[in-house]
Amino acid sequence: MKAWLSFSVIVLAGAGALAQGTPPTSSATRDASGFLIVPATAPIKASPTNMLPSPSATTGNGYVNDDKHKLIAGDKVSFQILEDRSLPVALQVTESTELDIPYIGRVSVEGKTCKQLADDMKVLLEQDYYKRATIIIGLDAMAKVIGRIYVWGPVRNQGPIEIPANETFTAGKAILRAGGFGDFANKKEVKVIRKTPRGNVTLKVNLVEVLEKGKTDQDIVLEPEDFIIVSQRAINF
């Protein structure tokens, strides 16, 4: 009997301690049976940090066509029309700066970015083939070179030199790439022969001023198929 009374006292004391404790800060209430009633959680409101990009800023599937790099010969791209539900087609820019576009044929891409080209192709395709065409042109790999120039005369290594892509390649750099001048080279009057629609044009540069005195503003920026002719200087005995 005493043991039962002791147990009852412990239970009652515990209940009293709970009753005197700090009430919960939530708005939950209890029903007639003593069970807690928890209010429903309010829905999460969308904010700028958890919203998806606006569809108007993309091609419709979250992909944005590149608008920085201007396509050059050797670039590799993938072409896709979303409405076709087919895999992208791998294409490469030819040496004449053209792409063979499905349904359209060869088009010039000179000076255009993927975004500009996609916009142009959308117009052409919607004229004859589609009511609506969503064009994706992905830049898969940029060309490492954009063409060649040719060095002839007293240099260490005559012959063709590739022009690196995305680099300002000059006559001075070409001579350095060719191993430098030979012993009897005329460094003061290096000729650059360039083909133009109106015929060949000859440009002259003093590479003593450029390479030895650091006047790089006097150097000549090269273009594909330029010829650099280095002559021999007169030898006086």
Side-chain angles (χ1 to χ4, degrees):
M1 184 68 174
K2 290 182 179 181
W4 183 85
L5 288 173
S6 299
F7 177 76
S8 300
V9 171
I10 292 172
V11 172
L12 291 173
L18 288 173
Q20 295 175 2
T22 303
T25 56
S26 69
S27 59
T29 58
R30 295 180 181 273
D31 60 13
S33 303
F35 290 100
L36 286 174
I37 302 174
V38 181
T41 304
I44 299 175
K45 295 182 178 180
S47 66
T49 58
N50 62 17
M51 291 179 67
L52 293 174
S54 170
S56 61
T58 68
T59 58
N61 68 338
Y63 184 91
V64 179
N65 287 312
D66 177 75
D67 63 348
K68 303 296 182 184
H69 173 73
K70 292 184 178 180
L71 294 169
I72 59 175
D75 282 346
K76 295 180 180 180
V77 301
S78 56
F79 179 89
Q80 185 179 22
I81 305 171
L82 290 185
E83 284 73 13
D84 278 355
R85 300 182 180 274
S86 57
L87 294 175
V89 178
L91 304 174
Q92 184 169 0
V93 182
T94 64
E95 290 188 3
S96 58
T97 326
E98 294 177 309
L99 274 178
D100 196 358
I101 303 293
Y103 301 109
I104 297 175
R106 288 216 165 188
V107 296
S108 174
V109 300
E110 186 174 2
K112 294 182 179 179
T113 65
C114 287
K115 183 180 185 305
Q116 291 171 330
L117 182 61
D119 292 342
D120 291 347
M121 297 306 99
K122 175 181 175 67
V123 173
L124 293 177
L125 288 168
E126 288 181 347
Q127 283 179 354
D128 298 318
Y129 298 97
Y130 292 83
K131 182 177 181 181
R132 177 184 177 186
T134 307
I135 310 300
I136 296 176
I137 300 178
L139 181 60
D140 295 336
M142 291 188 291
K144 294 182 180 180
V145 297
I146 60 173
R148 293 182 178 87
I149 57 93
Y150 303 87
V151 181
W152 185 257
V155 295
R156 301 299 178 188
N157 299 293
Q158 297 182 117
I161 296 176
E162 293 181 333
I163 302 176
N166 300 315
E167 179 182 337
T168 302
F169 198 62
T170 63
K173 289 182 179 180
I175 295 298
L176 294 175
R177 189 71 60 84
F181 287 109
D183 294 334
F184 303 104
N186 183 359
K187 306 176 186 178
K188 293 184 178 181
E189 193 172 303
V190 176
K191 297 178 181 178
V192 177
I193 312 298
R194 178 171 300 165
K195 293 180 179 179
T196 71
R198 297 181 179 180
N200 289 349
V201 174
T202 300
L203 309 172
K204 295 181 181 181
V205 57
N206 184 341
L207 288 182
V208 171
E209 297 289 316
V210 174
L211 297 177
E212 297 181 16
K213 298 182 180 181
K215 297 181 180 180
T216 55
D217 59 311
Q218 297 182 17
D219 209 348
I220 295 176
V221 178
L222 300 177
E223 297 180 0
E225 301 303 311
D226 279 353
F227 273 76
I228 297 178
I229 309 296
V230 180
S231 60
Q232 288 190 341
R233 58 185 171 84
I235 302 174
N236 297 321
F237 295 97

